[in-house]
Amino acid sequence: MKIARVIVDVPTSQTNRLFDYTIPDKYQDVLTVGMRVIVPFGPRKIMGFVLDITSESKLNKLKNVQDVLDLTPVLTKELLDVGKWLAESTLCFYVSAFQAMLPQVLKAKYDKELWLLAEVEELSPQLESLFAGRGVIPYEEIQEHNVSYSAIQKAVKEGILEIHYQVNSKETKKTETYITNALEEMELEEKYATMPPQAKKQRQIIAFFLEHPGEIKQKELLHRLSTTRASLKPLLDKGVLQTIQREVYRDPYQDREYQPTTPFPLTEEQAAAIDPIHTSISNHTHETFLLHGVTGSGKTEVYLQSIQHVLDKGQEAIVLVPEIALTPQMVERFKGRFGSRVAVLHSALSKGEKFDEWRKVQRKEVQVVVGARSAIFAPFENLGIVIIDEEHESSYKQEDYPRYHARDVAIYRAKHHTCPVVLGSATPTLESYARAQKGVYTLLSLPKRMNNASMPQVERIDMREELHAGNRSMFSRDLFEKMEDRLQKGEQTVLFLNRRGYSTFVMCRDCGHVMECPHCDIALTYHRKSERLKCHYCSYEEAMPTECPSCESDSIRYFGTGTQKIEESLQQLLPEARIIRMDVDTTRRKGSHERLLTKFGNQEADILLGTQMIAKGLDFANVTLVGVLAADAMLHLPDFRSAEKTFQLLTQVSGRAGRHTLPGEVVIQSYTPEHYSIDLASQYDYEAFFLKEMKVRKMFQYPPYYFLTLITVSHGNHLYTMDVTQKMTQFLKEQLSEQSVVLGPSPSPLARIKDRYRYQTMIKYKNEPGLHKAMNRLFQLYEDQINQNDLQISVDFQPYQMM
DNA sequence: AGCACGCCGACT
DNA sequence: GTCGGCGTGCTC
């Protein structure tokens, strides 16, 4: 007897283990490990993942697997192992890990239905009106019709009703209708001859199939004969023709043409960098490379040629790109080189499109995947290389369950496939660079730009001096002059506003009252278009007040600087400039991101003004000036990485200027231009920054010298939250070794979100083998309170965001 | 999670 | 007596 061992889709600690089911005969040959099944679980039916197939079970009474959802496994053996590892190392449930590795549409949807078993005459008037002549109704209607639950329960006991649990897969396949001839040529000719003379269109259609037998897309057929389904239908009904449903992929890139590119000759530096990668590929060894290359040094070409090498060996490649940099320009480079061998996975695709791209990988129809974080789970079985571009990007760390870092998953998978990992960046994380220095990673350097272009000249402006000189605008005199100059020369400018920490908040000028979200302890953001205040954490919103709710003064107004406000003042200062603004508001609609960039690329605008999203990957020949409006905006956030993030951002933004023949210039405005992150970024001195920042990290016991684990406790009651965190901190101090530092409890930087108070405890440690055990014990200790008291405890090993 | 079971107080 | 509240424990 064959037995399936299943992880069920019930994310709780009590069900986070294998359940055994017998496999009925009809599934004996088709069911394999890694498929999704439907199994009975208590009174209901749920989805589960088959992790193992054995012949024995400790229990003697097993239920049957009820249904098999897949024809081929959705998770390979390797990915099942990755999922187990992921769940155990990030402390999440097995199901959650497996779900995170698959496209959204493969998640099961559950429906409950009420089935009528008895004759209508036997029903109580209440039930009769509930069913209203139907045999099956959705369970939710019980509530809608105000029928009591006990009445239903009674009816179920009496055998009048039955509750049915339905598992619905959300996956849909898109099909297109094709038409083909159902008859042989001879019969077709006969039909043609015997067709009544008034059936002109039908004769035309038959004539078409006599000439071109075989199948044709219905749409195309109708178009070519300029007719409609009305004249096709009788032929289908008579069985002269027939329809075929063909599955098609929703290919988001199908209507685009990509200029095929060929490998560029490599510079000496590039050749030197690619050589060790090629050796690793050829020798089939696992090694992690850190490719440190300044912006514009041609990292992408190194990626492309490494991938080519992998493809030549008949292997596959995964390329990770930060979500925000997954621009059409980027996609174009990969599609241009590898054409239809590339699948693209990113969040701008619809669920269906993502599923289709994923399936191309599953069916081995592509060999290269370019995508954001979750593309690291692409179900390749013969992986030859993993490339992570912009390795330092925080978007590689998932901030909710499972809290994994794509870099760790990449290295884990690459070990399994014994293949290289390439981490690329102009500004590597201190962790990675330190590892490269220690020899854990192999450092490869591209210190020069291609075409011997020099890095643009950077000028730092002290905005305090501007203020003293009487300039109260957002633009320094220098930056303004330079913008005017570019406008005259017909060259383009990119203006970057670091919005983090500088959003538009509303304050009363009389009493200093700031409008805050009533649920989140966060200042509300003013949206000019709707004249409303919105919370960016819980989407609470309210109207802009006309007077201060605290002192009733009418001089309440918004402060801070948003892109909208800058656009307005810029338009006033330079009325003839054509400005494109790119921020969350102007790029919300699908494709608008791309459209705006194309417009700027075609030089239909002089100034591109934007937030974070324009910092990466843009490459426009005519851009000769880059302005950073508030370089220190995020320098003072409560995050030990703020200096590193500032350095990375400034370096990246500077790289947008002068990428081709025209020389570029960069103006960095800030209130603390002497800060080492701004100073060294303006000199493009990564090495010096690394050394300086390492000293700071050592002094304050932060990564990469120490590991961090952040535990956040949240609950609706303030005192209770504090109390739990306090006790928990004490517990951890007892559990962990003396070398580990346990800090806390302290209020989280976001002290309240959605009416939940948040406290945190931080653990700093160098070597703490018992950490995972201690965490598991912690969860056991608080299990009851988590389940019953709505207490939340979240653990983040190696947190990226401190908030 | 979702549900049954069981115990308790409040009501026709 | 029974209806409905919620704490407890189980799901192969």
Side-chain angles (χ1 to χ4, degrees):
Chain A
M1 192 166 54
K2 272 190 166 180
I3 288 159
R5 314 206 71 199
V6 176
I7 290 287
V8 292
D9 182 18
V10 184
T12 64
S13 48
Q14 294 152 53
T15 50
N16 191 36
R17 58 188 177 86
L18 290 165
F19 287 85
D20 294 352
Y21 291 89
T22 42
I23 304 172
D25 288 345
K26 58 180 169 176
Y27 297 134
Q28 293 265 335
D29 299 327
V30 290
L31 185 60
T32 60
V33 164
M35 288 185 185
R36 296 170 307 148
V37 287
I38 295 173
V39 290
F41 197 66
R44 36 187 194 138
K45 288 176 182 59
I46 51 169
M47 193 274 287
F49 293 97
V50 178
L51 286 230
D52 198 7
I53 290 177
T54 56
S55 51
E56 271 176 55
S57 173
K58 283 181 188 136
L59 286 93
N60 43 16
K61 264 192 191 159
L62 298 182
K63 289 187 183 174
N64 270 339
V65 167
Q66 192 198 292
D67 212 342
V68 177
L69 286 172
D70 301 307
L71 291 170
T72 50
V74 291
L75 290 166
T76 61
K77 285 210 173 89
E78 182 224 341
L79 286 176
L80 285 172
D81 173 65
V82 171
K84 278 192 254 180
W85 164 77
L86 202 61
E88 282 156 20
S89 62
T90 67
L91 288 187
C92 80
F93 304 119
Y94 292 112
V95 236
S96 314
F98 294 137
Q99 307 268 34
M101 299 166 62
L102 294 171
Q104 270 273 309
V105 284
L106 292 181
K107 244 186 156 177
K109 207 175 125 246
Y110 299 98
D111 284 319
K112 256 165 92 179
E113 290 170 349
L114 220 49
W115 290 43
L116 184 58
L117 298 181
E119 298 297 318
V120 179
E121 293 81 58
E122 297 172 45
L123 292 182
S124 66
Q126 202 185 23
L127 288 178
E128 200 183 326
S129 87
L130 177 64
F131 275 88
R134 295 167 297 174
V136 180
I137 59 162
Y139 193 81
E140 298 78 60
E141 286 196 17
I142 297 174
Q143 275 196 334
E144 288 161 28
H145 283 77
N146 254 331
V147 179
S148 75
Y149 181 68
S150 55
I152 299 292
Q153 218 172 20
K154 205 173 132 216
V156 170
K157 272 199 187 124
E158 287 167 6
I160 297 171
L161 303 178
E162 234 172 49
I163 300 172
H164 278 244
Y165 301 85
Q166 206 89 26
V167 182
N168 292 324
S169 182
K170 279 187 282 187
E171 74 185 87
T172 56
K173 286 168 190 160
K174 190 178 165 186
T175 58
E176 269 172 359
T177 310
Y178 281 72
I179 307 290
T180 180
N181 43 312
L183 304 174
E184 295 300 312
E185 195 183 334
M186 293 280 284
E187 294 171 291
L188 220 51
E189 269 172 16
E190 197 196 316
K191 284 281 175 197
Y192 183 80
T194 56
M195 202 49 73
Q198 66 270 35
K200 226 171 120 191
K201 280 291 178 191
Q202 289 188 43
R203 288 165 72 109
Q204 218 179 324
I205 293 170
I206 296 176
F208 177 87
F209 278 100
L210 280 169
E211 217 172 303
H212 319 274
E215 58 188 65
I216 176 171
K217 219 186 271 187
Q218 174 177 285
K219 223 163 137 191
E220 198 191 327
L221 176 74
L222 297 178
H223 179 75
R224 277 168 71 162
L225 302 181
S226 54
T227 178
T228 60
R229 261 193 68 83
S231 43
L232 197 58
K233 185 134 190 314
L235 291 170
L236 292 169
D237 290 345
K238 278 179 261 181
V240 180
L241 303 176
Q242 64 188 26
T243 61
I244 301 170
Q245 295 296 323
R246 286 239 175 273
E247 191 193 332
V248 289
Y249 289 133
R250 284 153 284 212
D251 186 345
Y253 297 98
Q254 67 181 349
D255 297 332
R256 252 161 284 186
E257 276 183 28
Y258 291 95
Q259 218 57 27
T261 65
T262 44
F264 296 121
L266 297 176
T267 64
E268 238 172 78
E269 285 184 342
Q270 282 175 321
I274 210 168
D275 194 50
I277 302 175
H278 276 192
T279 308
S280 172
I281 295 167
S282 304
N283 295 351
H284 197 63
T285 53
H286 167 64
E287 192 170 350
T288 303
F289 297 96
L290 178 62
L291 179 61
H292 179 211
V294 298
T295 43
S297 60
K299 288 191 288 290
T300 310
E301 189 59 34
V302 173
Y303 303 153
L304 291 169
Q305 296 197 18
S306 303
I307 294 168
Q308 188 61 56
H309 201 73
V310 164
L311 296 184
D312 292 344
K313 266 187 79 193
Q315 291 185 301
E316 297 132 354
I318 297 178
V319 184
L320 297 191
V321 173
E323 188 70 70
I324 204 161
L326 204 50
T327 55
Q329 277 186 345
M330 191 75 192
V331 172
E332 206 172 312
R333 296 197 65 173
F334 285 88
K335 285 260 181 185
R337 190 68 60 87
F338 304 115
S340 60
R341 303 179 79 177
V342 182
V344 180
L345 285 164
H346 66 109
S347 66
L349 303 182
S350 73
K351 282 178 188 171
E353 285 169 344
K354 268 189 227 167
F355 177 52
D356 287 351
E357 293 291 297
W358 178 84
R359 246 158 5 111
K360 287 184 195 166
V361 181
Q362 197 204 16
R363 295 181 173 183
K364 312 285 180 288
E365 292 167 0
V366 293
Q367 288 77 42
V368 181
V369 164
V370 180
R373 181 180 57 227
S374 62
I376 194 58
F377 301 116
F380 283 136
E381 289 178 272
N382 192 12
L383 199 55
I385 195 169
V386 182
I387 291 165
I388 304 188
D389 190 32
E390 311 274 7
E391 171 271 341
H392 59 275
E393 266 303 309
S394 59
S395 66
Y396 288 128
K397 173 71 196 287
Q398 174 145 317
E399 289 297 336
D400 43 52
Y401 286 121
R403 297 175 194 272
Y404 67 92
H405 197 297
R407 191 204 296 128
D408 301 333
V409 180
I411 293 174
Y412 189 87
R413 291 198 71 183
K415 273 184 188 153
H416 177 270
H417 290 277
T418 51
C419 74
V421 174
V422 178
L423 309 173
S425 176
T427 51
T429 51
L430 292 214
E431 284 94 326
S432 293
Y433 203 73
R435 273 179 208 157
Q437 301 237 306
K438 273 172 74 182
V440 181
Y441 299 164
T442 308
L443 184 65
L444 308 169
S445 294
L446 297 174
K448 279 193 257 149
R449 287 191 134 180
M450 289 196 303
N451 323 318
N452 275 326
S454 57
M455 293 301 286
Q457 197 67 41
V458 181
E459 188 184 345
R460 283 178 291 153
I461 306 282
D462 190 337
M463 290 306 275
R464 290 169 300 194
E465 280 172 24
E466 291 293 313
L467 206 62
H468 292 153
N471 176 10
R472 308 199 66 189
S473 84
M474 272 300 286
F475 310 100
S476 59
R477 292 157 295 176
D478 239 11
L479 177 59
F480 185 69
E481 272 168 28
K482 290 196 162 99
M483 286 196 291
E484 272 185 319
D485 171 62
R486 300 306 133 113
L487 206 53
Q488 263 169 22
K489 286 199 252 172
E491 293 171 7
Q492 290 171 295
T493 300
V494 169
L495 281 185
F496 178 79
L497 178 73
N498 185 4
R499 246 196 113 165
R500 250 208 223 126
Y502 255 88
S503 57
T504 51
F505 61 101
V506 172
M507 189 170 90
C508 170
R509 289 181 140 189
D510 276 341
C511 72
H513 176 84
V514 173
M515 297 299 291
E516 284 182 344
C517 173
H519 311 285
C520 300
D521 277 3
I522 283 286
L524 291 166
T525 302
Y526 175 66
H527 284 245
R528 168 154 273 199
K529 227 179 195 164
S530 54
E531 293 261 319
R532 290 179 76 77
L533 301 175
K534 291 180 186 171
C535 172
H536 280 191
Y537 286 91
C538 74
S539 66
Y540 165 88
E541 58 177 282
E542 63 178 53
M544 171 75 185
T546 49
E547 56 179 47
C548 172
S550 169
C551 72
E552 288 165 26
S553 152
D554 59 1
S555 39
I556 188 160
R557 51 154 296 172
Y558 65 91
F559 276 74
T561 324
T563 40
Q564 293 182 22
K565 198 180 155 201
I566 291 180
E567 186 187 14
E568 280 165 28
S569 63
L570 194 59
Q571 200 68 79
Q572 270 175 18
L573 292 166
L574 295 168
E576 71 276 26
R578 295 162 301 168
I579 304 167
I580 290 180
R581 175 165 63 94
M582 270 184 83
D583 58 23
V584 245
D585 291 331
T586 61
T587 55
R588 192 165 295 129
R589 278 186 47 225
K590 203 181 164 184
S592 50
H593 190 259
E594 189 178 350
R595 210 182 47 246
L596 291 175
L597 287 181
T598 311
K599 216 170 141 191
F600 189 67
N602 294 340
Q603 300 186 28
E604 289 167 42
D606 308 298
I607 299 174
L608 177 66
L609 167 66
T611 52
Q612 251 74 353
M613 66 180 71
I614 61 168
K616 291 177 188 74
L618 303 188
D619 188 355
F620 296 114
N622 200 38
V623 172
T624 58
L625 177 63
V626 168
V628 181
L629 297 176
D632 43 8
M634 68 179 184
L635 206 49
H636 311 293
L637 290 178
D639 182 342
F640 72 93
R641 271 184 244 268
S642 62
E644 186 183 348
K645 284 180 180 163
T646 300
F647 182 88
Q648 287 164 350
L649 198 68
L650 293 181
T651 307
Q652 227 149 45
V653 176
S654 305
R656 301 304 117 219
R659 291 178 71 95
H660 296 263
T661 43
L662 296 168
E665 252 188 308
V666 179
V667 175
I668 297 180
Q669 301 186 163
S670 84
Y671 289 89
T672 46
E674 68 281 1
H675 189 278
Y676 64 92
S677 62
I678 297 176
D679 179 28
L680 295 171
S682 71
Q683 297 174 43
Y684 302 101
D685 197 342
Y686 177 81
E687 199 75 27
F689 174 78
F690 172 75
L691 294 172
K692 168 79 188 157
E693 181 68 6
M694 283 296 270
K695 275 187 197 145
V696 176
R697 300 286 177 89
K698 190 174 188 179
M699 192 150 48
F700 293 101
Q701 303 186 325
Y702 277 120
Y705 288 99
Y706 281 75
F707 292 111
L708 295 184
T709 291
L710 184 73
I711 306 158
T712 307
V713 176
S714 79
H715 189 266
N717 182 312
H718 194 170
L719 280 175
Y720 175 73
T721 315
M722 251 164 64
D723 188 50
V724 169
T725 318
Q726 172 66 51
K727 287 193 176 113
M728 194 186 76
T729 307
Q730 195 52 45
F731 173 80
L732 287 170
K733 280 182 180 160
E734 287 157 18
Q735 294 283 317
L736 298 174
S737 69
E738 295 214 336
Q739 317 155 23
S740 299
V741 187
V742 184
L743 298 171
S746 60
S748 159
L750 299 170
R752 189 169 55 132
I753 294 180
K754 295 183 190 174
D755 282 326
R756 298 181 69 93
Y757 293 87
R758 295 151 53 87
Y759 273 78
Q760 59 188 33
T761 287
M762 169 115 67
I763 308 170
K764 292 181 178 178
Y765 58 99
K766 276 206 149 158
N767 186 19
E768 187 60 70
L771 185 65
H772 268 83
K773 261 191 197 143
M775 288 303 158
N776 281 317
R777 244 176 266 145
L778 182 80
F779 273 99
Q780 265 168 29
L781 208 62
Y782 285 98
E783 197 182 324
D784 288 355
Q785 289 178 65
I786 290 169
N787 287 338
Q788 288 152 30
N789 210 355
D790 199 23
L791 175 72
Q792 269 177 31
I793 299 178
S794 79
V795 177
D796 194 343
F797 299 104
Q798 279 99 59
Y800 246 69
Q801 227 96 281
M802 290 287 101
M803 302 187 180

